[in-house]
Amino acid sequence: MKEKVVVIAGPTAVGKSEAGIKLASHFQGEIISGDSMQIYKGLDIGTAKVSKEERAGIPHYLIDECEPDDSFSASAFKEAAQKRIEEINQRGKLPFIVGGTGFYIQSVLRNLDFHDAPSDEEFRNKMETYVRNHGRTALHEKLKQQDEESARSIHPNNTKKVIRALEIRHVTGKTKQPFARREPTTFHYDHIIIGLTMDRNVLYSRINERVDKMVEAGLVEEAKWLYDHYPPNVQAAQAIGYKEFFPYFRGDCSLEEAAAQLKKNSRHYAKRQLTWFRNKEEVEWFDMTAGPREEKIEKMIRWIEGKYK
């Protein structure tokens, strides 16, 4: 018998955390964060972590387990999440993965096989300096000259992946492909994916409103702490919600412009999240646009009960 796990997925600001807590409460479940940035200590407002009070006594895992200058990959997430799923099932509880980082969730459900190439931090820093001086297009052209196949599959704006492909080439003398993940066609768990969706205009309005509330709650101060204490190339500093304020701290834009950029980036991220989940996995979607949310939760409860009779 495969172990059970329920995933609550969807775009940012759609209400995943609230739904996850209510469902876990009903099913005596425990929650694993499926957000790639909630693992970092000190990044609370910008990652929309649920407070201790909001958790309603439900255990939460993979939150506040890394320092902001630690690296945390999909491979590391898979290993940690699978360990928690096994432990929760052994206790007779139902594990819920709640979050919007699609690839992290897929790595767990499909038990993806990662082949990690060695790293070279000095080379990575050199490439980050190169992109600051010459731009993303020039960096991507460098990759195209060395690994044309990877260059075709990696967008020039995805600087992190471009640098990683160049790093693999530099360290091993090989292209990125031998180290790519292997994607199984079967699932590792007896799983359910519940997707929360919403009318796009309503969702975008919620995102804009949430950014305003985050700023009022101290997001700028939280971002300044990250800016002051850690170099800009650490993984945590690349998170949406923090990097948008760095130009403001350098005096390159106003606070209003930084907040507007955060809203824009968050809206684009929400769109990518929806596209990812709709294209990648089988999801039971629940539209959260209108009507009492409690009724939506009741429908989710009946859906889970029907699947796990």
Side-chain angles (χ1 to χ4, degrees):
M1 292 286 290
K2 292 182 178 180
E3 293 173 328
K4 292 182 172 65
V5 62
V6 177
V7 174
I8 311 298
T12 186
V14 79
K16 297 184 296 294
S17 295
E18 177 191 6
I21 288 168
K22 288 181 177 178
L23 291 171
S25 178
H26 179 86
F27 287 101
Q28 294 187 317
E30 300 183 11
I31 291 175
I32 300 164
S33 170
D35 183 289
S36 62
M37 290 297 163
Q38 290 189 354
I39 194 80
Y40 292 111
K41 299 174 185 176
L43 307 189
D44 302 332
I45 300 170
T47 63
K49 284 179 192 169
V50 288
S51 66
K52 293 287 196 299
E53 294 73 27
E54 290 170 330
R55 295 178 194 180
I58 295 167
H60 280 62
Y61 306 103
L62 303 194
I63 293 177
D64 292 337
E65 295 190 10
C66 291
E67 299 297 333
D69 54 352
D70 291 337
S71 293
F72 192 70
S73 64
S75 177
F77 174 82
K78 185 195 86 165
E79 183 178 340
Q82 289 187 338
K83 180 174 181 289
R84 293 298 188 183
I85 289 169
E86 181 180 353
E87 293 169 352
I88 294 167
N89 272 280
Q90 285 176 350
R91 289 195 289 271
K93 305 288 186 178
L94 182 61
F96 287 78
I97 300 178
V98 180
T101 306
F103 181 51
Y104 276 34
I105 292 168
Q106 185 189 45
S107 75
V108 174
L109 297 182
R110 290 188 178 271
N111 194 29
L112 298 186
D113 185 9
F114 293 88
H115 297 270
D116 292 326
S119 60
D120 183 335
E121 188 171 350
E122 185 178 344
F123 176 81
R124 206 159 53 238
N125 291 338
K126 182 180 175 182
M127 289 300 99
E128 285 161 357
T129 302
Y130 181 88
V131 76
R132 282 196 295 271
N133 293 335
H134 301 281
R136 294 171 177 172
T137 302
L139 182 75
H140 192 262
E141 187 60 34
K142 185 185 284 286
L143 176 62
K144 189 176 179 181
Q145 292 168 5
Q146 299 183 33
D147 183 356
E148 193 170 348
E149 188 174 356
S150 292
R152 281 198 301 269
S153 64
I154 301 173
H155 195 279
N157 288 344
N158 196 334
T159 304
K160 184 178 176 182
K161 285 191 175 180
V162 173
I163 290 176
R164 178 56 177 155
L166 284 166
E167 181 184 25
I168 289 171
R169 179 70 174 173
H170 170 76
V171 173
T172 68
K174 300 176 182 178
T175 64
K176 184 175 179 289
Q177 297 312 309
F179 299 95
R181 58 187 170 84
R182 296 173 184 170
E183 187 168 318
T185 56
T186 58
F187 288 101
H188 194 57
Y189 295 102
D190 180 6
H191 74 281
I192 294 168
I193 305 178
I194 287 177
L196 308 189
T197 187
M198 188 174 281
D199 173 82
R200 188 160 291 180
N201 290 331
V202 175
L203 179 63
Y204 287 176
S205 178
R206 282 173 63 92
I207 288 171
N208 293 340
E209 183 180 338
R210 184 160 84 158
V211 169
D212 290 336
K213 288 181 178 177
M214 285 179 168
V215 170
E216 290 174 10
L219 175 58
V220 179
E221 291 77 12
E222 192 171 272
K224 187 64 162 63
W225 170 82
L226 182 63
Y227 179 82
D228 288 341
H229 290 86
Y230 296 93
N233 61 332
V234 300
Q235 190 171 331
Q238 304 304 312
I240 294 174
Y242 299 96
K243 62 182 179 181
E244 291 82 6
F245 292 102
F246 293 178
Y248 166 64
F249 301 145
R250 295 194 297 266
D252 295 337
C253 73
S254 68
L255 178 57
E256 291 74 17
E257 289 170 329
Q261 187 64 47
L262 172 52
K263 291 175 182 179
K264 180 180 178 181
N265 288 351
S266 298
R267 294 193 300 268
H268 288 172
Y269 180 52
K271 184 178 179 181
R272 291 197 303 273
Q273 287 174 302
L274 280 168
T275 300
W276 198 97
F277 281 108
R278 283 174 175 155
N279 291 342
K280 286 289 184 180
E281 304 295 357
E282 186 176 333
V283 179
E284 183 67 20
W285 290 100
F286 290 83
D287 192 325
M288 309 298 285
T289 304
R293 295 182 78 85
E294 290 300 327
E295 290 183 9
K296 314 279 186 180
I297 300 295
E298 282 298 322
K299 288 181 180 179
M300 294 176 205
I301 288 171
R302 290 197 294 272
W303 173 258
I304 295 171
E305 288 174 340
K307 299 291 282 187
Y308 285 157
K309 284 180 180 178

